[in-house]
Amino acid sequence: MNIIAVDQSRGQMRVRTLSSFSIKDLVTSRRTWVACVTLLFAALAAGLGYLGWLIQSPNQALTEFPNRLVELRDQEAKWDAEILSLQLGIAPNYDEVTRAGRDLKAKLAEIEHIAGTNASLNPLQPAIQSYRHALEQKAKLAEQIKASYAMLRNAATILPSSISDSLRFPESMQPIPGLGERPSDLMTENITAMMSFTISPSALLQNAVQNRIARTRSLAAQMSPGLANVLSRFLSQIEVVTKERLRGNRLMLALAETPTGASADKIQSDLASLEQSDIESKRSLRDVGLVLGVILVISVVALVALLWRRFAELNKDNRVLKQVNENVEEQLIQSAKLSALGQMVAGITHEINTPLAYVKAVFELIKERVAPADETSAPLNHDEEAEQARREELQILLDDGLHGLEEISTLIRTMKNFSRIDKGQIESFSIEDGIESALLIARPQLKYVADVKCEFDSVPEIMGSASQLRQVLLNLIVNAGQAMKAMDRRGLLTIRTRLTSSDTVQIDVCDNGPGIPEDIIGKIFDPFFTTKPVGEGTGMGLSICYRIVENHGGTIAASSKPGKGTIFTITLPRKGERSPVGSNIPEFNNGIPASAVAA
């Protein structure tokens, strides 16, 4: 980085570039250290706040998942009860078993969704998958139990019709020859044995049912073919009921052995471990937050102490440099004024000579008219009308002469007001009078280049440094004239003033010159930036204007369209502060404004 330094030796001011400015200058800047401290405090607050939030905020997944798990286990118990009721014949159908199984699957899906969408529950996935696998086995067994129950129920439904069919044969109520038992008694014995086995499906009762079925089949051979056929169908249904009751009992035992309970207990155990781990993690975060907070507080206190000491040294150095900086800025501003005035000396001289010659001619003519007539000429006849006309003509000539003298006086007075050094003295200032004064001084550079159009809005006076504001207006007007001078046509300079809704005064300096290219319009307020040839511009004019307007609490901006023209807009507050503008001048570095520092 480079910094512009001012050398005032031998009463002269020259600008030179130093390459010694480095990152060290940035590190020693007050604003840099203040920004660092602010960021440190912000990081401290944000870090501790985040740790506090992590500690206080509950894990919603760990809160919701246990409730869903309890509901799942309750639903499984309800499903088991419905299956048992179906097996025991208490339930009229298997609709409740189907509904309970469907609800159980829905609750399992909810648990899987919660575990799948929360990373903290990932350790539960193996146990959940094991539970799902066991539940699928249980569902298959339940389907087999429902099928067995359906077959048992159908067989039991056919038994009454078989008994009714046997009663159509009279021999069913007569004793079997040589035995003394009736076929109806045999059917009753089989029904009784079947019911005993159905209630308590033991091996002993199963053998008793099978023996009775075998005995009845052997006796049915002694009966008529019709009754024997009815008995055969009856015994087949007895065998189906016995077989399905035995099969259903085995399925129920297999259903009870499925490891759904163990899997659910494993989920519960893993969940308890996760909850304990979450509690320990929050406890660790709290301890880390406390240690980190203590370390950062100590660091901030040490840094503040270091900054306090450093700023005390900087304040001491700044007080030494403050007066030097103020003097150098005044010299820079005055130098810019003198430079602007020097460019217009020739034009102003011409403007002064023109009215002087005019006044001289007028008074010479008055001398001739007032002089006595030639002695050799015939005496004139002076009547009252001729004398009155002579006086009126003389009065007109004298008025013209006085008007020319007044123009000279006004021009000289304007130059004096512009060039005087007032060190930023605050006073009441008329914007419109300042514009007219600047236009008067710049008239030699404008009259052959452009027409001037003023659109004043009768804005009130403001508080500010009159000489500095005149300098800003003159600089903008002269720049506009120089821009339009490069065109092959006569330009138009428009100056407007108006009050804005924000209680500020706005000044627009508009020209229809060639405009400013887009690639450089952002640099025009930079110190030492100029597009003029070497020796014709210092590049400080707009930079000084920017600083003067900024010190008055205002803004200056430029907008341009290449080929259409440029508009410089100044906004100034209607009520200025009651302190010298010079006291608001920004920091200087080695004798020049800080804005002159370029990277």
Side-chain angles (χ1 to χ4, degrees):
M1 300 180 70
N2 296 328
I3 182 170
I4 308 304
V6 176
D7 186 0
Q8 302 183 66
S9 60
R10 297 184 181 178
Q12 296 179 349
M13 182 181 297
R14 61 188 181 90
V15 179
R16 57 191 178 92
T17 302
L18 299 179
S19 60
S20 59
F21 185 75
S22 62
I23 195 65
K24 180 180 179 181
D25 299 273
L26 180 63
V27 173
T28 57
S29 171
R30 181 192 298 266
R31 293 181 180 177
T32 302
W33 282 101
V34 170
C36 290
V37 173
T38 303
L39 289 176
L40 186 58
F41 273 113
L44 171 63
L48 293 180
Y50 180 71
L51 288 177
W53 178 78
L54 288 178
I55 295 172
Q56 296 297 329
S57 61
N59 191 327
Q60 296 295 333
L62 291 178
T63 303
E64 184 179 7
F65 190 88
N67 298 331
R68 293 288 185 269
L69 183 60
V70 170
E71 293 176 1
L72 177 66
R73 303 198 70 173
D74 291 341
Q75 185 62 36
E76 183 185 359
K78 180 179 179 182
W79 188 42
D80 292 340
E82 293 296 338
I83 294 174
L84 182 62
S85 298
L86 182 67
Q87 177 64 19
L88 294 177
I90 299 175
N93 52 52
Y94 45 80
D95 291 340
E96 290 299 326
V97 176
T98 303
R99 186 179 299 109
R102 185 173 60 248
D103 294 340
L104 181 62
K105 290 180 180 180
K107 292 189 179 300
L108 178 59
E110 290 179 4
I111 280 186
E112 290 178 329
H113 175 73
I114 296 173
T117 54
N118 293 274
S120 60
L121 298 180
N122 284 338
L124 299 179
Q125 291 292 350
I128 293 175
Q129 293 302 320
S130 176
Y131 180 81
R132 166 173 279 281
H133 180 68
L135 201 61
E136 290 174 352
Q137 293 179 349
K138 197 170 185 178
K140 291 179 181 179
L141 293 174
E143 292 297 324
Q144 294 177 13
I145 290 173
K146 288 195 296 184
S148 176
Y149 173 75
M151 294 179 66
L152 187 150
R153 183 176 181 182
N154 290 335
T157 303
I158 296 174
L159 286 176
S161 62
S162 298
I163 295 174
S164 299
D165 292 340
S166 67
L167 295 177
R168 290 200 299 266
F169 297 94
E171 60 181 307
S172 64
M173 302 300 295
Q174 298 175 0
I176 299 173
L179 186 61
E181 291 183 295
R182 297 176 299 180
S184 59
D185 295 332
L186 295 175
M187 297 177 71
T188 301
E189 291 175 358
N190 280 278
I191 290 292
T192 303
M194 181 196 70
M195 294 299 296
S196 299
F197 177 76
T198 301
I199 295 173
S200 178
S202 62
L204 180 63
L205 294 177
Q206 181 183 8
N207 292 331
V209 172
Q210 290 176 350
N211 292 334
R212 289 186 181 277
I213 292 175
R215 181 170 178 272
T216 303
R217 286 186 187 280
S218 63
L219 293 177
Q222 303 177 18
M223 302 177 188
S224 64
L227 181 59
N229 186 35
V230 170
L231 286 175
S232 178
R233 287 189 288 111
F234 172 79
L235 294 175
S236 297
Q237 299 305 320
I238 292 291
E239 289 176 343
V240 168
V241 171
T242 305
K243 178 181 177 182
E244 293 305 323
R245 182 68 183 88
L246 185 63
R247 178 168 174 257
N249 189 57
R250 290 197 302 269
L251 290 173
M252 286 298 296
L253 292 176
L255 186 71
E257 293 174 358
T258 54
T260 55
S263 299
D265 293 338
K266 183 66 169 59
I267 295 175
Q268 194 76 38
S269 174
D270 293 346
L271 182 62
S273 299
L274 286 179
E275 291 175 345
Q276 184 63 30
S277 176
D278 183 68
I279 294 173
E280 293 176 357
S281 175
K282 288 185 176 181
R283 186 180 297 115
S284 299
L285 286 175
R286 182 190 61 191
D287 297 338
V288 170
L290 290 176
V291 173
L292 181 62
V294 171
I295 293 174
L296 290 178
V297 167
I298 294 175
S299 300
V300 169
V301 170
L303 181 59
V304 169
L306 179 62
L307 288 177
W308 184 271
R309 180 179 176 182
R310 177 59 181 164
F311 288 159
E313 296 175 357
L314 290 176
N315 287 333
K316 182 179 179 180
D317 295 336
N318 287 336
R319 283 194 297 269
V320 175
L321 297 175
K322 183 176 180 181
Q323 187 62 43
V324 175
N325 288 338
E326 292 178 354
N327 294 338
V328 171
E329 186 187 23
E330 283 298 328
Q331 292 176 9
L332 285 174
I333 295 175
Q334 189 63 18
S335 177
K337 290 183 182 181
L338 296 177
S339 176
L341 286 175
Q343 296 175 10
M344 293 176 284
V345 167
I348 293 174
T349 302
H350 175 73
E351 292 297 319
I352 294 176
N353 287 335
T354 300
L356 282 177
Y358 177 67
V359 171
K360 182 179 179 181
V362 169
F363 278 93
E364 286 178 352
L365 183 58
I366 293 174
K367 182 177 180 180
E368 290 178 2
R369 295 295 178 89
V370 176
D374 195 292
E375 295 179 357
T376 60
S377 62
L380 298 177
N381 184 15
H382 297 286
D383 54 8
E384 293 182 358
E385 292 183 0
E387 185 64 26
Q388 183 66 26
R390 186 182 179 90
R391 289 196 188 95
E392 291 178 356
E393 184 181 5
L394 183 60
Q395 184 65 40
I396 292 173
L397 293 175
L398 289 173
D399 289 343
D400 290 343
L402 291 174
H403 177 71
L405 292 173
E406 184 63 29
E407 285 189 352
I408 297 174
S409 177
T410 300
L411 182 59
I412 298 301
R413 184 171 59 252
T414 301
M415 292 176 61
K416 181 180 178 181
N417 288 337
F418 176 79
S419 61
R420 69 183 174 90
I421 302 177
D422 58 6
K423 292 187 179 295
Q425 191 69 28
I426 290 292
E427 59 185 354
S428 180
F429 176 70
S430 171
I431 293 292
E432 295 172 357
D433 289 346
I435 293 173
E436 292 176 351
S437 298
L439 287 173
L440 183 60
I441 295 177
R443 184 169 61 180
Q445 294 193 0
L446 293 176
K447 66 180 180 179
Y448 300 117
V449 174
D451 296 325
V452 179
K453 180 181 179 182
C454 294
E455 299 177 358
F456 293 159
D457 194 21
S458 299
V459 297
E461 294 185 350
I462 67 171
M463 300 299 293
S465 171
S467 64
Q468 292 185 8
L469 294 175
R470 287 193 190 99
Q471 179 182 352
V472 172
L473 296 171
L474 179 61
N475 203 330
L476 295 181
I477 292 171
V478 171
N479 284 351
Q482 292 174 347
M484 291 184 289
K485 185 178 180 180
M487 301 189 305
D488 56 356
R489 56 180 172 82
R490 189 171 179 82
L492 175 63
L493 175 64
T494 304
I495 304 178
R496 305 187 189 95
T497 62
R498 68 185 183 93
L499 279 175
T500 65
S501 58
S502 58
D503 200 25
T504 59
V505 175
Q506 179 173 314
I507 308 163
D508 294 329
V509 180
C510 317
D511 67 71
N512 60 350
I516 304 174
E518 293 182 0
D519 58 336
I520 67 172
I521 193 170
K523 307 176 184 177
I524 59 175
F525 294 109
D526 293 346
F528 305 106
F529 177 81
T530 179
T531 58
K532 299 177 182 178
V534 177
E536 294 187 14
T538 63
M540 288 297 293
L542 288 178
S543 176
I544 291 175
C545 291
Y546 183 88
R547 304 307 293 176
I548 291 175
V549 173
E550 185 181 61
N551 292 341
H552 281 78
T555 61
I556 180 171
S559 60
S560 180
K561 292 184 178 179
K564 298 294 183 65
T566 304
I567 301 176
F568 280 88
T569 301
I570 302 173
T571 58
L572 294 169
R574 291 178 58 185
K575 297 180 179 179
E577 295 189 6
R578 302 289 182 178
S579 61
V581 174
S583 64
N584 295 327
I585 292 175
E587 292 184 20
F588 277 58
N589 287 306
N590 293 335
I592 65 150
S595 62
V597 177

